[in-house]
């Protein structure tokens, strides 16, 4: 018997919508029996849910009644004690000293005890109310999770109802988290209550999150994600975008778009909730892991693309440039939809600190790095031991360096995508640059970094060996020295080493962490500097061994090495003042258990030890040049110093100069002219100052302290000789006398008149100071005065 439907006016809007959706045509009547069965099943489920809720309500009411009874009993006990207190106080009012003692007892003992009891009762009440509130919230969460599971198990479940139930569960989760956060701050002693609630919430989240992700994946499949990759064209990676593939995120519309957006927001809300929970649970510990995890919804976009891309990657193992081109094209083509469509959804979900653009790029780069670590690098490593018949670098080394070049170029292009929104600066400041760097593979494999450094170093040495053997690089000076910059007259070989070192520094800048950069420079840059110093030392030793530096060509060879070392040192010092090197140096200092710096001061530069060795090399060979010239001068002055008679001869008219001394000075001036032309200005000053000190000691000890009797004519001759000596050194300074303090002051004593120095016994410390003698001792001055013979 067919029953008529009730009047339309009596039906609710939801019922009408349901009938319109399921009974649109006559064909739908054939499925009426199934629809009736479904409605009966849903009604039975609702009845069962209602029974469950009634039982839970009954249980909650019973628990609340139990708590209320306990609290009522406690309050009754407090009231009785207060009544006894009032009664005892009234009784003791008329009893004199006994009343006073009773009042003191009440005020000193019973009132504090009563206050503690009241506080305990209040704490119990608060604990009971909080526990009941949390029990209700967790119950709502578990009911919502259970309802979501049941609806997903049904064949004709409504997606709309499932999303609404999930949002209710998320709302209850947030309320529970607010309560737990408040308890953590105000009542940390309730740790067991917090632990019990966390345990139940974790079980609910373990069901809710996978279900939300499964629904999200289903929606992505309905959208046509991932997009097809077979039609992508990337033969010219720098060309304009190909308009062959449409972005499914931009083409979705209607209910599908609404469902996707709601599911995306729900997933972001769940992640925000999870972050809050981890932040609370890790309070007082390192919370960086909890505060920023990859965005789940973006990961769900990247994972299917990564799986689809790897089918293409497997064909391009020998052509990794295609792999980088494809990843960059996908990243670039879909990055706009992250800003325009998904970022507003993240902001609506109140998920702070996340940029969809950054997360998209980071996830794509991470998938590429994972593939490189698993597939590409092992192949390159397996080829490293293969050596060509001609002894040239193995194909593995060539492939490795080519792969590194591709990774560096890819990272620069990816960083340009990030920098369009100004995020790159914040990533650099936070030290999270490895999120968008394919070179982050070396963070987990430091042994690969060591291998890369070894390959780079061998490659650079192969390039530098011909440069070192080419004598033109040692004879040609560096051209184009900037005005205002010291001209160190450095040969071109130093520029060749600096170019290679600079290229390594530029490559190290692409590494995402300071520790990796520091280690890479230590493994590559430091050996290059030491190789340069070894080369300079070898050339100097060869020059010394062949001619003992008596030949001008040998002197010039040493001067060029000193110039190269000084120029190299100045460039390294300039680099070490840069923030980039200061950060690496500080990191190296913190990681090292004990560091002994060779450089004076408290430097922490990464090249400080090498700079110190360059300085020591210069000091050693500048002193060697000075010593060589001094030895030649000394050999030519021996007869001059040994001849004691010409200091006793009578003076002649005109300027009298000792020929042997002038010849020795001529030799010294010739050698110094060679050094002045070949050596840089700063080190040449060191040479002539050291030489002046040696000549001062030689003449003073050989003549002034040599038991020589000086007559008037001898003093005049000595003055003429010293005038020539000062003239030679006057070409390099304004007051040459100041660099010969002992012979200048000794000659000053010889020139003093007989009346001024009557007897050597009058000479003392005070007398020396009064006469401007500051570099001679009393004994030395007395000896010089005793050797003076006045004939007038």
């Amino acid at each position: 018997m067919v029953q008529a439907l009730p009047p339309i006016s009596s039906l609710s809007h939801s019922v009408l919508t349901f009938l319109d959706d399921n009974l649109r045509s006559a064909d739908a009547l054939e499925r009426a029996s199934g629809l009736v069965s479904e409605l009966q099943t849903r009604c039975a489920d609702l009845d069962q849910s209602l029974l469950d809720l009634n039982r839970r309500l009954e249980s909650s009411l019973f628990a609340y009644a139990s708590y209320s009874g306990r609290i009522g009993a406690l309050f009754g006990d407090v009231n009785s004690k207060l009544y006894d207190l009032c009664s005892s106080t009234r009784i003791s009012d008329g009893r004199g000293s006994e009343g006073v003692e009773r009042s003191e007892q009440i005020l000193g003992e019973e009132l504090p005890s009563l206050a503690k009891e009241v506080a305990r009762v209040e704490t119990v009440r608060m604990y009971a109310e909080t526990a009941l509130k949390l029990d209700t919230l967790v119950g709502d969460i578990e009911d919502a999770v259970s309802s979501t599971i049941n609806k997903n198990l049904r064949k004709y479940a409504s997606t709309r109802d499932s999303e609404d139930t999930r949002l209710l569960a998320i709302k209850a989760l947030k309320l529970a988290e607010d309560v737990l956060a408040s308890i953590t701050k105000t009542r940390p002693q309730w740790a067991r209550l917090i632990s019990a609630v966390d345990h139940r919430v974790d079980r609910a989240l373990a069901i809710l999150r996978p279900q939300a992700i499964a629904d999200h994946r289903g929606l992505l499949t309905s959208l046509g994600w991932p997009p097809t990759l077979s039609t992508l064209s990337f033969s010219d990676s720098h060309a304009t975008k190909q308009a062959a593939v449409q972005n499914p995120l931009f083409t979705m519309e209607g209910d599908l778009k609404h469902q996707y957006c709601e599911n995306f927001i729900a997933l972001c809300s769940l992640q925000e909730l999870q972050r809050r929970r981890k932040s609370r649970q890790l309070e007082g510990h390192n919370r960086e892991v909890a505060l920023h995890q990859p965005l789940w919804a973006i990961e769900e976009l990247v994972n299917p693309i990564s799986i689809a891309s790897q089918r293409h990657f497997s064909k391009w193992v020998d052509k990794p440039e295609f792999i980088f081109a494809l990843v960059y094209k996908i990243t670039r083509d879909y990055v706009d939809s992250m800003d325009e469509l998904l970022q507003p959804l993240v902001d609506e979900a109140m998920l702070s600190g996340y940029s969809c653009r950054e997360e998209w790029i980071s996830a794509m780069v991470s998938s590429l790095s994972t593939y490189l670590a698993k597939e590409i690098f092992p192949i390159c490593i397996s080829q490293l031991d293969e050596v060509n018949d001609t002894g040239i670098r193995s194909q593995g080394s060539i492939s490795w360096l080519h792969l590194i070049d591709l990774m560096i170029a890819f990272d620069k292009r990816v960083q340009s995508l990030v920098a369009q929104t100004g995020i790159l600066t914040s990533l650099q400041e936070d030290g999270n640059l490895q999120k968008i760097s394919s070179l982050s593979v070396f963070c987990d494999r430091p042994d690969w970094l060591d291998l890369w450094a070894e390959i780079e170093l061998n490659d650079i040495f192969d390039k530098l060996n011909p440069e070192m053997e080419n004598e033109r690089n040692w004879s040609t000076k560096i051209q184009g020295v900037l005005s205002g910059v010291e001209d160190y007259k450095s040969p071109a070989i130093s520029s060749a080493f600096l170019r290679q070192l600079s290229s390594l520094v530029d490559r190290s800048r692409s590494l995402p962490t300071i520790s990796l950069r520091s280690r890479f420079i230590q493994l590559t840059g430091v050996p290059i500097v030491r190789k340069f110093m070894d080369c300079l030392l070898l050339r100097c030793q060869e020059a010394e061994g062949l001619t003992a530096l008596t030949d001008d060509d040998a002197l010039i060879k040493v001067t060029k090495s000193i110039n190269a070392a000084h120029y190299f040192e100045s460039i390294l010092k300039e680099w070490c003042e840069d923030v980039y090197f200061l950060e690496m140096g500080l990191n190296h200092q913190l990681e090292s258990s004990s560091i002994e710096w060779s450089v004076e001061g408290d430097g922490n530069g990464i090249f400080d030890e090498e700079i110190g060795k360059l300085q020591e090399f210069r000091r050693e060979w500048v002193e060697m040049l000075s010593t060589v010239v001094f030895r030649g001068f000394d050999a030519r002055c021996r007869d001059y110093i040994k001849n004691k008679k010409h200091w006793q001869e009578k003076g002649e008219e005109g300027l009298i100069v000792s020929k042997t001394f002038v010849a020795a000075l001529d030799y010294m001036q010739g050698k110094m002219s060679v050094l002045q032309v070949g050596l840089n200005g700063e080190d040449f000053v060191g040479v002539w100052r050291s030489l002046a000190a040696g000549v001062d000691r030689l003449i003073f000890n050989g003549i002034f302290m040599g038991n020589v009797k000086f007559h008037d004519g001898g003093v005049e001759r000595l003055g003429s000789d010293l005038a020539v000596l000062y003239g030679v050194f006057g070409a390099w300074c304004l007051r040459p006398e100041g660099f010969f303090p002992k012979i200048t002051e000794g000659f000053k004593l010889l020139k003093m008149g007989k009346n001024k120095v009557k007897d050597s016994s009058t000479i003392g410390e005070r007398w020396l100071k009064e006469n401007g003698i500051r570099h001679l001792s009393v004994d030395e001055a007395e000896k010089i005065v005793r050797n003076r013979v006045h004939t007038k």
Side-chain angles (χ1 to χ4, degrees):
M1 184 175 179
V2 179
Q3 296 181 357
L5 291 173
I8 295 178
S9 59
S10 64
L11 298 178
S12 64
H13 181 266
S14 60
V15 173
L16 290 175
T17 302
F18 177 80
L19 293 175
D20 288 340
D21 292 340
N22 293 277
L23 300 175
R24 288 181 176 274
S25 61
D27 296 337
L29 294 176
E30 298 178 0
R31 299 192 299 271
S33 58
L35 183 61
V36 171
S37 299
E38 180 188 351
L39 291 174
Q40 289 175 348
T41 302
R42 293 176 65 179
C43 290
D45 291 341
L46 290 174
D47 291 339
Q48 184 62 39
S49 298
L50 183 61
L51 291 174
D52 293 339
L53 289 174
N54 287 331
R55 282 196 296 269
R56 293 181 61 83
L57 179 61
E58 182 180 355
S59 176
S60 299
L61 291 174
F62 178 77
Y64 181 74
S66 176
Y67 287 136
S68 300
R70 290 169 55 190
I71 293 172
L74 290 172
F75 274 112
D77 186 26
V78 171
N79 287 332
S80 63
K81 289 183 177 181
L82 287 173
Y83 179 77
D84 294 340
L85 178 62
C86 293
S87 301
S88 60
T89 304
R90 287 195 298 268
I91 294 172
S92 61
D93 286 341
R95 297 184 178 180
S97 60
E98 294 181 3
V100 173
E101 292 177 358
R102 178 57 178 164
S103 298
E104 291 178 353
Q105 180 182 4
I106 292 171
L107 294 175
E109 299 178 4
E110 296 184 6
L111 276 180
S113 176
L114 182 60
K116 290 181 181 179
E117 185 67 19
V118 171
R120 189 181 72 83
V121 171
E122 178 64 18
T123 301
V124 171
R125 182 189 66 80
M126 290 179 61
Y127 185 89
E129 291 181 353
T130 304
L132 185 60
K133 183 178 181 179
L134 287 172
D135 183 67
T136 303
L137 289 173
V138 174
D140 294 341
I141 295 169
E142 293 171 343
D143 289 340
V145 171
S146 177
S147 179
T148 302
I149 295 175
N150 292 333
K151 289 179 180 179
N152 283 318
L153 291 176
R154 294 177 194 148
K155 185 176 181 181
Y156 301 101
S158 171
T159 305
R160 177 68 183 175
D161 292 342
S162 178
E163 288 294 337
D164 290 342
T165 307
R166 184 178 294 117
L167 291 176
L168 290 175
I170 293 174
K171 183 178 180 180
L173 282 167
K174 289 183 177 180
L175 292 174
E177 181 59 30
D178 291 339
V179 176
L180 291 176
S182 176
I183 295 174
T184 302
K185 293 179 180 179
T186 59
R187 302 285 181 175
Q189 65 272 22
W190 294 356
R192 291 187 177 180
L193 174 62
I194 296 174
S195 177
V197 175
D198 277 340
H199 179 68
R200 293 178 62 182
V201 171
D202 286 339
R203 287 191 303 177
L205 286 173
I207 299 172
L208 196 60
R209 179 191 170 186
Q211 188 60 53
I213 291 177
D215 292 346
H216 192 78
R217 292 174 180 173
L219 286 170
L220 287 176
T221 303
S222 302
L223 290 173
W225 191 273
T228 178
L229 304 179
S230 59
T231 57
L232 290 176
S233 175
F234 48 88
S235 57
D236 183 3
S237 58
H238 298 282
T240 57
K241 291 185 180 181
Q242 304 286 336
V245 182
Q246 291 183 341
N247 188 343
L249 297 178
F250 278 143
T251 58
M252 63 180 178
E253 57 186 8
D255 291 341
L256 190 59
K257 180 178 181 179
H258 180 72
Q259 292 174 13
Y260 176 79
C261 292
E262 284 199 345
N263 188 271
F264 188 95
I265 292 174
L267 206 56
C268 291
S269 299
L270 274 177
Q271 186 164 3
E272 171 62 16
L273 174 68
Q274 185 75 357
R275 186 170 69 163
R276 288 177 55 193
R277 287 173 53 76
K278 291 298 181 183
S279 179
R280 169 179 57 82
Q281 293 169 353
L282 296 175
E283 184 72 34
H285 303 278
N286 184 9
R287 299 189 296 171
E288 292 299 323
V289 177
L291 294 181
H292 196 97
Q293 291 288 316
L295 200 58
W296 298 342
I298 299 298
E299 283 187 324
E300 294 305 318
L301 289 173
V302 172
N303 289 338
I305 282 188
S306 177
I307 295 172
S309 299
Q310 289 181 14
R311 291 195 292 269
H312 297 275
F313 293 168
S314 60
K315 306 174 186 176
W316 301 332
V317 174
D318 296 331
K319 296 289 184 180
E321 57 268 21
F322 290 165
I323 296 176
F324 288 96
L326 177 59
V327 174
Y328 176 74
K329 179 170 178 58
I330 296 173
T331 305
R332 181 195 63 189
D333 289 351
Y334 297 100
V335 73
D336 291 337
S337 59
M338 304 299 152
D339 281 338
E340 299 175 18
L341 178 64
L342 301 185
Q343 187 61 46
L345 301 180
V346 173
D347 297 338
E348 184 178 346
M350 306 291 288
L351 189 54
S352 60
Y354 279 92
S355 165
C356 286
R357 185 186 195 90
E358 176 190 337
E359 294 298 323
W360 165 257
I361 295 174
S362 174
M364 288 296 297
V365 173
S366 177
S367 66
L368 172 64
S369 300
T370 302
Y371 184 80
L372 293 176
K374 289 183 178 180
E375 303 294 338
I376 304 299
F377 272 99
I379 294 176
C380 292
I381 293 174
S382 65
Q383 297 174 347
L384 288 176
D385 296 330
E386 300 176 5
V387 181
N388 295 335
D389 296 336
T390 58
I392 306 176
R393 289 180 305 161
S394 67
Q395 182 63 34
S397 298
I398 299 174
S399 300
W400 186 288
L401 294 177
H402 178 57
L403 178 61
I404 296 297
D405 291 337
L406 292 174
M407 296 172 72
I408 293 174
F410 173 80
D411 287 351
K412 290 180 179 178
R413 300 180 69 190
V414 165
Q415 289 175 10
S416 67
L417 288 179
V418 181
Q420 293 176 7
T421 56
I423 301 174
L424 182 60
T425 303
S426 64
L427 287 175
Q428 291 173 335
E429 292 175 353
D430 297 339
N432 292 325
L433 200 59
Q434 66 186 77
K435 295 172 56 179
I436 58 170
S437 174
S438 61
L439 292 171
S440 59
V441 295
F442 296 111
C443 295
D444 298 325
R445 294 300 301 266
D447 56 321
W448 287 359
L449 182 73
D450 297 350
L451 191 57
W452 173 26
E454 180 182 351
I455 295 172
E456 286 279 4
L457 195 59
N458 291 334
D459 179 65
I460 286 179
F461 283 163
D462 291 341
K463 296 176 182 178
L464 286 175
N465 286 332
E467 299 280 354
M468 289 186 292
E469 295 172 359
N470 187 357
E471 285 298 324
R472 292 187 59 186
N473 289 328
W474 293 97
S475 59
T476 306
K477 294 182 181 179
I478 296 176
Q479 301 297 326
V481 179
L482 299 176
S483 59
V485 179
E486 178 70 25
D487 182 9
Y488 294 105
K489 302 179 181 181
S490 177
I493 188 64
S494 57
S495 179
F497 270 85
L498 283 170
R499 279 198 306 271
Q500 297 299 331
L501 184 58
S502 178
S503 68
L504 283 177
V505 171
D506 290 339
R507 290 169 79 78
S508 73
R509 293 179 186 274
S510 301
L511 288 167
T513 64
I514 296 176
S515 59
L516 288 180
R517 298 170 203 155
S518 175
R519 182 165 181 79
F520 183 77
I521 292 298
Q522 291 171 43
L523 294 174
T524 57
V526 171
I528 289 177
V529 180
R530 292 177 179 173
K531 177 76 171 180
F532 180 69
M533 288 190 291
D534 292 341
C535 182
L536 298 180
L537 180 61
L538 180 61
R539 289 181 65 85
C540 291
Q541 290 174 341
E542 288 176 352
E544 183 187 16
L546 291 175
T547 65
L549 299 182
T550 57
D551 185 68
D552 289 349
D553 291 337
L555 288 178
I556 293 174
K557 194 172 185 179
V558 173
T559 60
K560 290 178 178 179
S561 296
I562 294 174
N563 293 341
H566 205 156
Y567 179 72
F568 210 91
E569 174 195 332
S570 67
I571 296 299
L572 289 183
K573 284 182 177 179
E574 183 180 345
W575 286 1
C576 288
E577 293 175 357
D578 188 81
V579 175
Y580 181 75
F581 284 91
L582 291 175
E583 289 177 341
M584 289 193 296
L586 181 60
N587 180 80
H588 177 60
Q589 188 177 28
L590 293 175
E591 289 182 351
S592 302
S593 57
S594 61
I595 302 178
E596 296 180 0
W597 300 108
S598 301
V599 185
E600 296 179 359
D602 297 326
N604 58 359
I606 199 168
F607 288 123
D608 278 1
E609 185 176 352
E610 282 61 43
I611 291 174
K613 291 180 179 179
L614 286 169
Q615 291 175 343
E616 185 63 28
F617 170 83
R618 288 196 301 110
R619 284 194 293 265
E620 177 181 346
W621 285 97
V622 163
E623 186 65 29
M624 179 67 71
L625 292 178
S626 175
T627 302
V628 167
V629 177
F630 176 76
R631 285 174 181 171
F633 176 80
D634 182 22
R636 288 162 176 79
C637 281
R638 289 175 184 172
D639 293 339
Y640 171 75
I641 294 175
K642 289 179 181 179
N643 187 359
K644 301 180 181 180
K645 293 182 179 180
H646 58 241
W647 308 120
Q648 302 172 8
E649 297 174 355
K650 295 181 179 181
E652 300 178 3
E653 295 182 359
L655 182 63
I656 303 175
V657 182
S658 302
K659 294 181 179 180
T660 56
F661 186 67
V662 171
L665 288 177
D666 183 64
Y667 164 82
M668 181 177 67
Q669 188 176 29
K671 292 296 182 182
M672 293 300 292
S673 297
V674 173
L675 294 179
Q676 186 175 13
V677 172
L679 198 60
N680 67 86
E682 183 177 339
D683 288 321
F684 179 72
V685 170
V687 172
W688 71 254
R689 285 189 175 183
S690 177
L691 180 60
V695 171
D696 186 48
R697 290 192 301 270
L698 174 67
I699 296 177
F700 182 80
N701 293 328
I703 297 178
F704 288 86
M705 296 286 105
N707 296 320
V708 177
K709 298 297 182 178
F710 286 94
H711 291 253
D712 294 340
V715 173
E716 291 179 8
R717 178 186 292 274
L718 181 60
S720 300
D721 293 344
L722 293 182
V724 178
L725 174 65
Y726 295 155
V728 172
F729 281 86
W732 310 314
C733 59
L734 295 177
R735 292 184 64 257
E737 299 87 351
F739 296 95
F740 300 91
K742 284 186 173 290
I743 61 178
T744 300
E745 293 180 357
F747 185 70
K748 184 178 180 180
L749 288 174
L750 291 177
K751 288 177 64 178
M752 287 183 178
K754 183 190 303 184
N755 297 329
K756 194 167 185 179
V757 187
K758 295 181 180 180
D759 187 0
S760 61
S761 61
T762 61
I763 297 176
E765 292 287 347
R766 183 176 179 182
W767 186 89
L768 292 177
K769 290 182 180 180
E770 290 176 351
N771 289 275
I773 309 299
R774 303 185 182 279
H775 296 87
L776 300 180
S777 66
V778 174
D779 293 339
E780 291 172 341
E782 288 179 350
K783 186 173 183 179
I784 293 173
V785 170
R786 284 197 303 267
N787 290 333
R788 179 70 168 95
V789 178
H790 295 278
T791 58
K792 294 181 182 180

